[in-house]
Amino acid sequence: MIDSNKTFGVVGICGANANLIARVLSDRGFKVIGTDMSSKEECRFASSLEGYDIKVYHGGNPDEFFDEIDYLVPPPSLSKKSKIFTIAQEKNIKIFELEDVLETFRPDKPVFGITGTNGKTTSINLLKKIAYDNGIIPTEHNLANMQGNAEYLPILQSRLNGEVAILEVGTFGVKGTVERTCVNSDMSMALMTNITPDHLTTSFLDYAHVKGELISSLNGKKIIVNAQDPTILGLLKELDFQGEVITFGLDWVADDSNSKQCVCGEELTVKEIISGSGYYFCRNCGLTTPESDFIATNIDLENRTFDLFDPLGEKIEVKMLLDGLHNVYNVSGVIVAAHEFLDLPYDKIVKSVSTFTGVSGRMEKICQKNGKDIISDYAHNPGGVDTVLRSFNQLYDTFAVVITISSESGEVGDNEIFDKVLQYSNYIVACSKASQKVAKERITKNPELKERILLSQADESFIVDGTTGASLKEVENGIKTALTIDCEAIITIGQAGTEYFSSLKNNS
């Protein structure tokens, strides 16, 4: 045990990990002092420190800082040859690193994780809303514009003040990342939405097995899964999961069939309800769609209603404000999670669901202009694009898609995304530089596509930055081009479209 009168000095407090460490220590009753090279005005996460009694020295590490502390918490990446380690040794200040924080201060509350290629953000936000609406306070990282699964963020978030922790368990296909989050947060229950190809710098099965670390890490515990995703069910079988499995699915007529690699290595055919999920059977290993414990039926997409039957046959009448079959999956999974993890009755859960308006950048309406709905969606990988545009096909007779994506999978991903858009939409406006390159190649091979594919004006000064494939000017030009098309709706897909949402809305 550490004397509660001791003072911790956190270096680099304007960074995500150090910010969270400082708040964890403060929440546990310790005095905390921080330093950072940035000025107060430049401190990226300063707002999350509001309400905490934490003194911060900006612009460096002054002598006063070392004179006031008993423990020094350095940034994980800081070299041991750094001057601050020398000063700490000279002043007999103990070093307390990230690993010490994690081992000394374990989570003191129930922890729930959500993973999947698509649907994580919507599911997490809805589950948290249900918690808040029913007087249950979840932990919040409160780091502005920061993904919930980055670095050690979810692990540290599980140690902040709150009655429960609801964590995003993400991965970019890096082995060990999911296991690290599950083990270090003492996770007791989780939800898996789906597993479709994404961020594929590795093979799909390698990526799937990284997601599968959640299953192996929670062995003997409880997991809620989409029964209609063969990859998830295959991993449960392969990893011999011995805990409690609760499944959910949709009663829906599936018309489209696509192949998906089974966990056994063979290709299987999925009669898809959404991308990668539906009815399946593997002729090699015998994997097939099971009956779901919770089944959504009587689905009315126009009125956004459905009935969810639980394992005892109780009918739960659901009204939601979200569009699309993928959100029927998301909402169904969250209802199960709220009942099992938050221990809430169905009537309180569905009341909260009925007022959930969604997450910014997920099928979010910007405005209506020239009689056209203008909508933004963050979809940025082939599976996500397929699912979202399939939903728009059920909502609109004619629509144009403005592609703002630069795929993390490079040219392979850019081509797959473009083909998905071509499959579902009436018109394409190639806005990002990546999509413009693919568009020109497609038109050269098939000149007839010029009737459906338009190129908006490029911004030559813009350099592609990761997945932000287009500049604000290019997105605006893309929408202007789409407004000249005779269609009911315009949908921007990708990070750039959602990143510039506020500007687009204000200028519409």
Side-chain angles (χ1 to χ4, degrees):
M1 296 293 292
I2 300 175
D3 188 340
S4 60
N5 292 318
K6 299 299 182 181
T7 300
F8 285 84
V10 180
V11 178
I13 198 169
C14 294
N17 287 336
N19 177 292
L20 288 167
I21 290 171
R23 289 159 56 198
V24 167
L25 293 167
S26 183
D27 284 347
R28 302 292 174 119
F30 294 99
K31 184 177 179 181
V32 179
I33 300 173
T35 69
D36 202 275
M37 296 304 294
S38 67
S39 66
K40 185 175 182 179
E41 293 72 27
E42 294 171 333
C43 187
R44 182 179 176 187
F45 303 120
S47 61
S48 65
L49 297 174
E50 293 175 3
Y52 283 88
D53 185 19
I54 298 176
K55 179 167 66 175
V56 179
Y57 289 103
H58 289 281
N61 306 305
D63 292 339
E64 302 97 296
F65 169 71
F66 295 100
D67 293 337
E68 297 175 51
I69 63 175
D70 303 292
Y71 290 90
L72 176 74
V73 184
S77 59
L78 189 66
S79 169
K80 293 294 189 292
K81 296 179 180 179
S82 173
K83 184 180 178 181
I84 68 165
F85 286 101
T86 303
I87 296 174
Q89 186 176 21
E90 291 172 351
K91 293 181 175 289
N92 200 29
I93 299 169
K94 295 180 181 179
I95 304 298
F96 202 78
E97 301 194 72
L98 172 62
E99 290 75 12
D100 299 313
V101 174
L102 301 184
E103 285 303 315
T104 306
F105 307 108
R106 301 302 300 182
D108 55 357
K109 59 188 70 65
V111 178
F112 189 87
I114 299 181
T115 196
T117 308
N118 307 109
K120 292 189 299 295
T121 304
T122 296
S123 298
I124 286 169
N125 280 272
L126 175 53
L127 187 56
K128 283 185 178 180
K129 179 185 185 298
I130 294 169
Y132 279 121
D133 287 350
N134 288 279
I136 302 168
I137 308 301
T139 61
E140 296 284 8
H141 64 73
N142 289 330
L143 301 176
N145 300 316
M146 192 75 174
Q147 276 189 278
N149 62 358
E151 298 179 310
Y152 281 85
L153 191 153
I155 297 170
L156 291 166
Q157 183 182 332
S158 70
R159 289 158 168 79
L160 292 170
N161 276 349
E163 296 171 86
V164 297
I166 299 170
L167 308 179
E168 178 177 352
V169 186
T171 169
F172 292 96
V174 180
K175 187 177 180 181
T177 54
V178 170
E179 179 183 19
R180 180 181 68 189
T181 298
C182 295
V183 171
N184 284 294
S185 65
D186 294 344
M187 193 173 294
S188 59
M189 195 184 307
L191 165 67
M192 296 189 79
T193 61
N194 62 2
I195 301 177
T196 59
D198 185 25
H199 317 307
L200 291 185
T201 54
T202 183
S203 75
F204 172 62
L205 287 187
D206 285 343
Y207 167 75
H209 279 95
V210 173
K211 289 288 187 185
E213 291 173 4
L214 182 139
I215 294 171
S216 54
S217 298
L218 267 68
N219 202 6
K221 299 179 181 178
K222 186 181 291 188
I223 187 168
I224 301 160
V225 302
N226 171 4
Q228 293 170 332
D229 186 320
T231 309
I232 297 175
L233 270 290
L235 287 169
L236 286 166
K237 179 180 177 181
E238 181 190 87
L239 297 171
D240 191 26
F241 183 74
Q242 295 298 310
E244 182 180 355
V245 179
I246 303 175
T247 60
F248 63 93
L250 274 58
D251 176 16
W252 186 264
V253 176
D255 296 322
D256 296 330
S257 292
N258 279 303
S259 64
K260 190 177 186 182
Q261 192 173 14
C262 183
V263 171
C264 74
E266 296 297 320
E267 293 290 320
L268 54 75
T269 298
V270 183
K271 294 188 71 174
E272 290 184 327
I273 297 174
I274 63 171
S275 180
S277 294
Y279 308 105
Y280 53 85
F281 173 70
C282 179
R283 295 181 182 278
N284 183 58
C285 70
L287 183 72
T288 190
T289 315
E291 288 190 14
S292 299
D293 297 317
F294 286 78
I295 187 73
T297 187
N298 300 323
I299 300 167
D300 184 339
L301 293 176
E302 183 177 352
N303 292 303
R304 300 169 179 156
T305 61
F306 64 93
D307 295 329
L308 184 66
F309 285 86
D310 77 356
L312 298 177
E314 181 177 349
K315 183 172 76 170
I316 308 155
E317 296 181 357
V318 184
K319 170 69 176 176
M320 62 182 192
L321 299 177
L322 307 177
D323 287 311
L325 281 170
H326 62 296
N327 278 317
V328 178
Y329 273 109
N330 291 335
V331 170
S332 297
V334 170
I335 289 173
V336 179
H339 185 64
E340 296 292 327
F341 178 68
L342 300 177
D343 197 26
L344 292 170
Y346 296 130
D347 59 339
K348 290 187 176 182
I349 296 169
V350 296
K351 182 179 179 181
S352 189
V353 168
S354 69
T355 57
F356 179 64
T357 56
V359 179
S360 178
R362 266 68 178 184
M363 292 183 74
E364 186 171 6
K365 186 174 179 179
I366 299 175
C367 65
Q368 189 175 74
K369 194 165 186 177
N370 297 352
K372 300 177 176 65
D373 289 339
I374 302 179
I375 299 159
S376 173
D377 195 278
Y378 185 72
H380 61 287
N381 59 65
V385 170
D386 182 285
T387 295
V388 167
L389 295 189
R390 194 179 299 210
S391 294
F392 280 116
N393 246 335
Q394 295 159 349
L395 298 170
Y396 297 100
D397 291 328
T398 57
F399 61 89
V401 175
V402 180
I403 305 177
T404 76
I405 302 170
S406 174
S407 173
E408 288 176 289
S409 302
E411 291 186 10
V412 173
D414 292 326
N415 277 277
E416 289 182 8
I417 288 167
F418 198 94
D419 288 339
K420 292 291 184 184
V421 178
L422 197 58
Q423 177 184 350
Y424 289 108
S425 67
N426 305 91
Y427 302 95
I428 297 175
V429 176
C431 170
S432 64
K433 288 178 170 57
S435 65
Q436 291 206 353
K437 179 181 178 183
V438 178
K440 291 172 184 176
E441 292 171 353
R442 293 289 189 279
I443 292 172
T444 299
K445 291 180 181 178
N446 185 359
E448 291 182 2
L449 287 176
K450 288 183 70 174
E451 300 295 322
R452 294 179 56 197
I453 300 174
L454 292 80
L455 278 69
S456 60
Q457 186 175 349
D459 177 2
E460 299 302 334
S461 65
F462 173 71
I463 299 174
V464 175
D465 180 16
T467 56
T468 305
S471 67
L472 170 60
K473 184 177 180 181
E474 286 176 324
V475 176
E476 290 176 336
N477 289 339
I479 291 177
K480 287 177 184 177
T481 300
L483 284 168
T484 66
I485 299 170
D486 183 15
C487 61
E488 293 178 84
I490 298 167
I491 298 100
T492 72
I493 58 170
Q495 182 173 338
T498 55
E499 194 171 304
Y500 304 127
F501 177 86
S502 298
S503 177
L504 294 171
K505 191 170 186 177
N506 294 335
N507 293 324
S508 297

